[in-house]
């Protein structure tokens, strides 16, 4: 089982622009993890540190107990798959070839048709198999997002990190993708870590929520009903809200409604006064 | 209010996803289908696979057509000149050299093999080198305007050559010009690489740095031309436009250019899978296990060498490096695994076709660089207008 551990990680783009402030975090069980928090609080920065895209000034990051400073990019890539918010603006390949890039680390061990099979299966999972030979630049932003998710999934890494996988998706696919990621984490025993802005969908599907707050600190970690409380949301986001426990959104007929299952539901109120600018 | 036990239960990880009350049956079914994989007889999948193979075949056909054109044009090119040698004879002479037999007519043999073949070889391998260098630079700098021109490599070489000629360092034949051109062409690449090391520059800044260096060298070349005497000036000028009639296009120089071109292009083709990954952006390349910064530097250096080698011998031939990859992309797409070899073949073809046209179109032979711009420019504009919107 792959594990990720951040020990007292601090990162700043410049001396006076500190983004992460002594962040410590352990993720050592499979599941669907969501990082939430307001803008500029270091959500993407954590993810980039995990992939060695940037190097924290202080602290250590361990993957399977090994400091990633000592790992080569290619050794880390086999463990952690990452899908950045990507737009291919220069020259675009077909959707198939774009997703096939995600199989880069499997090109030596798998034949072309095996790789194409994996790509096709994943396109089918995201209902984009009809776009296979469309140019990446010729499809919509929501479709880009599905291609990006597919590219992450075909990497077949034990850890998959997605930066805002539901951005640009319509309501149905926001739900579908998050539900799917939860299902995949359970089915495959994977760690799926996403950055998310939608509190309600996060509340419904995340196993664990990691809530970051200014100035780049971990405010709370736990199950959605532990973390997504009215106090936490108001404190971290500066928005009034009500949290109700909703049992209407559970649709699985195998579950008896009377057993009092519910998920937290956040109803947002007005924004509070902004104390200081960024 | 502390969470009730039942609400705690719903957030837990279900190692059997079927039991998870939050997962609807449609998602579970999709994920199960994904996990089980596609059936052998899935018609849609076999169609997708077949289309992929068809596209690859089309790419090979494209390459094959270009090779055929090269062979034909090369034959025609070798018939041109004061001594009358027929189209078929040129191939006979080449074939006798390949098979190791002596061709009976030694005069014709000498003319084709020693004096006319170098032009073709320099054209094909030069065009191929410039096109591959351009294709790689465009992909890794994510900029459709990148080529040996805009990265400053050509103008660096131009300055070096002008310096050698203006200062009269031409005693040992033209060898000094080549050496100077080559050395100075390395400066722009070095500047770009250093800039990226120092300030972790983005691909856009790198190309801006290249353009900055280009202007400095162009200005330097102009100054040297103002200072030099009329005789040197005409040599400098002919070198500036780039021509396969350049005095360095000699039989004895063939090995240098062929070895550099083949080694460089082979290296690029071997790296083409990585170039694809790098072209999706640095972050995603690093996440896929590629040291993006180092790879870009290596690829830039090799591109610079490829371009410098040819520019040193024939002068500044613009356009082929910029335009070949774009035209090839319109036909076979942006996948570098096919783009790079196809650009090489297409670039070689474009170069000797342009040279051929320049030699026969008017009574005065035109340098290949001029023809390339005259024909390539409008052709390129036409292709841009009628392209399917999504090439770049």
């Amino acid at each position: 089982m792959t594990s990720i551990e951040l020990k007292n990680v601090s990162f700043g783009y410049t001396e006076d622009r500190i983004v992460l402030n002594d962040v410590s975090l352990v993720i050592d069980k499979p599941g669907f993890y969501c990082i939430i928090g307001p803008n500029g609080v270091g959500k993407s920065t954590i993810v980039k540190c995990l992939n060695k895209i940037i190097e924290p000034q202080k602290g250590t990051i361990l993957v399977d107990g090994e400091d990633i400073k000592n790992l080569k990019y290619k050794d880390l890539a086999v463990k952690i798959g990452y899908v950045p918010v990507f737009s291919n603006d220069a020259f675009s390949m077909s959707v198939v070839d774009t997703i096939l890039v995600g199989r880069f680390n499997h090109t030596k061990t798998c034949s072309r048709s095996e790789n194409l099979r994996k790509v096709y299966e994943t396109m089918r999972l995201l209902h984009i198999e009809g776009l296979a030979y469309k140019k990446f630049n010729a499809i919509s932003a929501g479709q880009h997002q599905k291609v990006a998710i597919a590219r992450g999934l075909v990497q077949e890494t034990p850890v998959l990190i997605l930066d805002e996988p539901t951005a640009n998706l319509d309501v149905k696919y926001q739900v579908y993708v998050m539900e799917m990621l939860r299902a995949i984490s359970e089915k495959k025993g994977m760690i799926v870590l996403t950055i998310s802005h939608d509190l309600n969908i996060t509340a419904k599907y995340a196993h664990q929520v990691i809530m970051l707050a200014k100035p780049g600190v971990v405010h709370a970690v736990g199950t959605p009903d532990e973390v997504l409380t009215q106090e936490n949301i108001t404190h971290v986001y500066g928005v009034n809200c009500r949290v109700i426990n909703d049992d209407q959104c559970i649709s699985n007929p195998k579950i008896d409604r009377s057993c009092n299952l519910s998920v937290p539901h956040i109803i947002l109120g007005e924004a509070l006064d902004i104390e200081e600018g960024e | 209010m502390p969470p009730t036990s039942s609400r705690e239960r719903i957030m837990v990880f279900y190692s059997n996803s079927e039991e998870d009350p939050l997962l609807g049956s449609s998602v579970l079914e999709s994920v199960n289908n994904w996990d089980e994989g596609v059936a052998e007889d899935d018609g849609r999948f076999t169609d997708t696979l077949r289309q992929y193979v068809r596209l690859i075949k089309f790419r090979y056909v494209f390459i094959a057509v270009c090779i055929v054109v090269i062979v034909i044009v090369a034959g025609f090119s070798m018939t041109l000149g004061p001594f009358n040698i027929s189209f078929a004879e040129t191939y006979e002479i080449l074939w006798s050299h390949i098979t190791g037999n002596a061709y009976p007519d030694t005069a014709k043999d000498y003319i084709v093999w020693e004096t006319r073949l170098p032009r073709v070889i320099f054209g094909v391998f030069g065009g191929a080198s410039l096109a591959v260098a351009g294709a790689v630079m465009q992909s890794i700098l994510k900029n459709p305007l990148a080529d040996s021109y805009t990265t400053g490599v050509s103008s660096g070489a131009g300055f070096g050559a002008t310096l050698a000629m203006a200062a009269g360092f031409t005693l040992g034949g033209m060898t000094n010009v080549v050496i100077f051109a080559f050395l100075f062409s390395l400066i722009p690449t070095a500047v770009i690489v250093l800039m990226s090391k120092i300030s972790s520059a983005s691909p856009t800044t790198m190309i801006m740095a290249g353009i900055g260096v280009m202007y400095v060298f162009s200005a330097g070349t102009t100054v040297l031309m103002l200072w030099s005497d009329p005789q040197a000036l005409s040599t400098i000028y002919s070198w500036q436009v780039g021509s396969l009639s350049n005095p360095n296009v000699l039989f004895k120089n063939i090995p240098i250019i062929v070895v550099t071109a083949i080694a460089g292009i082979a290296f690029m083709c071997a790296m083409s899978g990585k170039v694809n990954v790098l072209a999706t952006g640095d972050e995603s390349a690093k996440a896929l296990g590629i040291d993006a910064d180092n790879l870009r530097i290596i690829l830039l250096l090799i591109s610079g060498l490829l371009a410098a080698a040819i520019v040193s011998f024939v002068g500044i031939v613009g356009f082929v490096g910029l335009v070949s990859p774009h035209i090839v992309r319109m036909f076979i797409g942006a996948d570098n695994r096919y783009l790079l070899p196809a650009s090489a073949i297409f670039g070689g073809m474009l170069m000797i076709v342009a040279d051929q046209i320049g030699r026969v179109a008017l009574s005065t032979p035109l340098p290949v660089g001029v023809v390339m711009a005259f024909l390539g420019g409008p052709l390129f504009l036409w292709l841009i207008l009628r392209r399917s919107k999504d090439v770049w």
Side-chain angles (χ1 to χ4, degrees):
Chain A
M1 186 56 230
T2 302
S3 69
I4 297 172
E5 190 175 356
L6 281 80
K7 278 186 185 164
N8 311 98
V9 170
S10 294
F11 177 84
Y13 286 96
T14 53
E15 292 278 320
D16 52 350
R17 236 184 96 215
I18 303 299
V19 184
L20 293 179
N21 235 328
D22 202 28
V23 169
S24 295
L25 203 61
V26 181
I27 298 175
D28 58 359
K29 291 184 188 70
F32 183 28
Y33 295 77
C34 284
I35 302 179
I36 61 168
N39 295 335
V41 87
K43 301 185 293 296
S44 299
T45 308
I46 287 193
V47 165
K48 285 178 190 171
C49 287
L50 280 173
N51 280 288
K52 265 181 89 158
I53 290 167
I54 50 178
E55 199 180 313
Q57 279 90 352
K58 281 190 210 129
T60 47
I61 299 172
L62 306 175
V63 172
D64 285 342
E66 243 185 301
D67 192 335
I68 63 166
K69 265 188 207 136
N70 307 326
L71 282 177
K72 287 190 180 133
Y73 281 109
K74 69 172 200 280
D75 298 328
L76 192 60
V78 183
K79 296 181 176 181
I80 301 183
Y82 168 55
V83 178
V85 187
F86 79 86
S87 68
N88 189 341
D89 49 7
F91 312 104
S92 69
M93 298 191 282
S94 65
V95 167
V96 170
D97 284 323
T98 307
I99 300 173
L100 206 54
V101 167
R103 297 291 291 173
F104 177 70
N105 290 311
H106 301 271
T107 42
K108 286 208 179 70
T109 50
C110 295
S111 71
R112 187 175 71 200
S113 64
E114 277 175 278
N115 284 326
L116 279 172
R117 178 180 295 265
K118 194 78 220 167
V119 167
Y120 178 79
E121 285 160 10
T122 312
M123 286 197 296
R124 195 175 60 174
L125 174 67
L126 286 150
H127 311 141
I128 51 172
E129 68 270 38
L131 301 175
Y133 293 102
K134 283 252 165 46
K135 284 267 154 52
F136 184 76
N137 277 2
I139 60 177
S140 76
Q143 290 164 338
H144 282 173
Q145 191 63 41
K146 291 176 199 167
V147 172
I149 296 166
R151 213 196 76 176
L153 285 171
V154 297
Q155 294 177 33
E156 294 192 303
T157 44
V159 179
L160 176 62
I161 304 178
L162 300 131
D163 196 339
E164 290 193 55
T166 54
N168 294 320
L169 294 180
D170 62 32
V171 175
K172 180 190 166 185
Y173 276 99
Q174 287 179 28
V175 176
Y176 180 83
V177 163
M178 295 295 263
E179 201 178 339
M180 179 195 86
L181 291 173
R182 179 180 171 104
I184 287 172
S185 74
E186 293 179 343
K187 182 101 194 166
K188 296 274 195 183
M190 280 169 68
I191 292 174
V192 178
L193 179 65
T194 69
I195 292 172
S196 178
H197 279 295
D198 190 309
L199 298 181
N200 279 311
I201 297 182
T202 304
K204 191 171 172 194
Y205 293 113
H207 293 115
Q208 290 275 309
V209 177
I210 298 153
M211 188 183 235
L212 301 187
K214 281 180 181 153
V217 295
V218 177
H219 186 76
V221 180
T223 57
D225 58 346
E226 288 166 357
V227 174
L228 293 167
T229 59
Q230 194 231 323
E231 297 80 23
N232 278 345
I233 293 167
T234 306
H235 175 83
V236 168
Y237 284 95
V239 178
N240 272 333
C241 70
R242 262 179 334 126
V243 178
I244 58 169
N245 285 310
D246 181 16
D247 62 356
Q248 298 298 312
C249 62
I250 299 161
S251 58
N252 196 328
K254 282 175 283 187
I255 304 300
D256 180 10
R257 277 280 168 71
S258 63
C259 71
N260 190 30
L261 291 175
S262 64
V263 290
H265 219 82
I266 297 107
I267 297 163
L268 296 175
E270 71 282 7
L272 298 176
D273 285 345
I274 293 157
E275 288 152 27
E276 53 188 302
E278 292 195 28
Chain B
M1 184 184 74
T4 66
S5 58
S6 63
R7 268 198 282 117
E8 256 181 330
R9 227 191 80 203
I10 200 164
M11 302 306 171
V12 302
F13 180 86
Y14 291 79
S15 45
N16 179 359
S17 54
E18 304 286 339
E19 288 168 9
D20 191 336
L22 281 174
L23 299 178
S25 52
S26 102
V27 165
L28 276 175
E29 200 191 321
S30 298
V31 170
N32 286 340
N33 282 340
W34 174 68
D35 192 40
E36 280 158 21
V38 60
E40 281 301 330
D41 55 348
D42 186 318
R44 195 125 190 232
F45 171 63
T46 44
D47 279 353
T48 309
L49 201 60
R50 213 172 289 142
Q51 196 174 350
Y52 198 84
V53 174
R54 204 157 48 225
L55 283 171
I56 289 175
K57 274 189 195 145
F58 175 75
R59 291 163 187 168
Y60 285 127
V61 169
F62 178 83
I63 293 177
V65 169
C66 293
I67 291 177
V68 170
V69 175
I70 289 179
V71 170
I72 293 171
V73 175
F76 271 116
S77 171
M78 287 186 286
T79 63
L80 290 186
F83 202 92
N84 196 12
I85 299 171
S86 78
F87 185 65
E89 275 176 312
T90 61
Y91 292 117
E92 280 170 33
I93 291 166
L94 288 190
W95 183 248
S96 67
H97 272 278
I98 291 166
T99 53
N101 300 321
Y103 190 73
D105 190 334
T106 46
K108 284 186 178 178
D109 180 78
Y110 174 81
I111 288 167
V112 168
W113 188 252
E114 296 275 329
T115 66
R116 296 187 183 174
L117 182 65
R119 189 181 188 104
V120 172
I121 299 281
F122 270 78
V124 172
F125 284 90
S129 302
L130 289 172
V132 168
V136 171
M137 284 171 172
Q138 285 167 10
S139 290
I140 62 175
L141 296 176
K142 300 179 81 174
N143 193 318
L145 289 176
D147 75 338
S148 55
Y149 224 79
T150 45
T151 46
V153 173
S154 294
S155 43
F159 179 81
T162 311
L163 186 65
M165 289 184 268
F169 294 153
T170 46
L171 291 177
M174 289 294 276
T175 321
N176 280 332
V177 177
V178 173
I179 292 170
F180 264 69
F182 188 72
L183 288 178
F184 277 88
S185 74
L186 296 177
I187 295 176
T189 317
V191 169
I192 295 178
V193 167
L194 278 177
M195 277 214 33
S196 74
K197 272 284 178 202
I198 293 166
S199 65
S200 66
S202 73
T204 317
T205 2
M206 288 188 199
I207 202 144
M208 284 161 76
I211 289 176
V213 177
M214 182 187 89
Y215 274 107
V216 173
F217 277 121
S218 299
T221 306
T222 311
V223 170
L224 287 176
M225 285 168 79
L226 286 174
W227 287 346
S228 49
D229 58 90
Q231 205 201 333
L233 200 59
S234 91
T235 334
I236 293 170
Y237 178 75
S238 84
W239 198 88
Q240 286 267 310
V241 289
S243 166
L244 291 174
S245 308
N246 198 295
N248 291 308
V249 180
L250 293 173
F251 191 79
K252 70 173 166 80
N253 289 334
I254 286 180
I256 306 177
I257 201 76
V258 170
V259 168
T260 321
I262 289 180
I265 294 170
F267 176 81
M268 293 303 194
C269 291
M271 301 301 267
S272 58
K274 289 188 178 180
V275 176
N276 272 350
V277 180
L278 191 56
T280 63
D282 282 22
E283 289 191 2
S284 100
K286 283 179 184 172
L288 279 168
I290 281 180
D291 192 334
D293 305 313
N294 285 339
L295 179 65
R296 179 176 292 112
I297 290 172
I298 292 168
L299 292 172
L300 272 178
L301 280 175
I302 305 288
S303 313
L305 285 175
L306 268 176
I310 187 67
V311 169
S312 314
F313 284 100
V314 300
I316 301 175
V317 184
F319 228 69
V320 60
L322 176 72
V323 133
S324 304
H326 285 305
I327 294 177
V328 174
R329 264 188 213 102
M330 289 175 199
F331 284 99
I332 69 164
D335 185 340
N336 286 285
R337 289 170 302 167
Y338 301 95
L339 174 68
L340 299 188
S343 292
I345 304 292
F346 186 86
M349 183 193 81
L350 190 64
M351 188 90 144
I352 62 166
V353 169
D355 182 51
Q356 183 71 11
I357 293 171
R359 290 169 77 194
V360 297
L362 299 173
S363 51
T364 344
L366 294 172
V368 64
V370 173
V371 180
M372 197 79 82
F374 262 134
L375 293 178
L379 169 77
F380 191 42
L381 290 177
W382 178 69
L383 284 168
I384 290 171
L385 287 176
R386 65 170 290 281
R387 79 194 155 115
S388 54
K389 240 190 173 129
D390 42 305
V391 178
W392 66 86

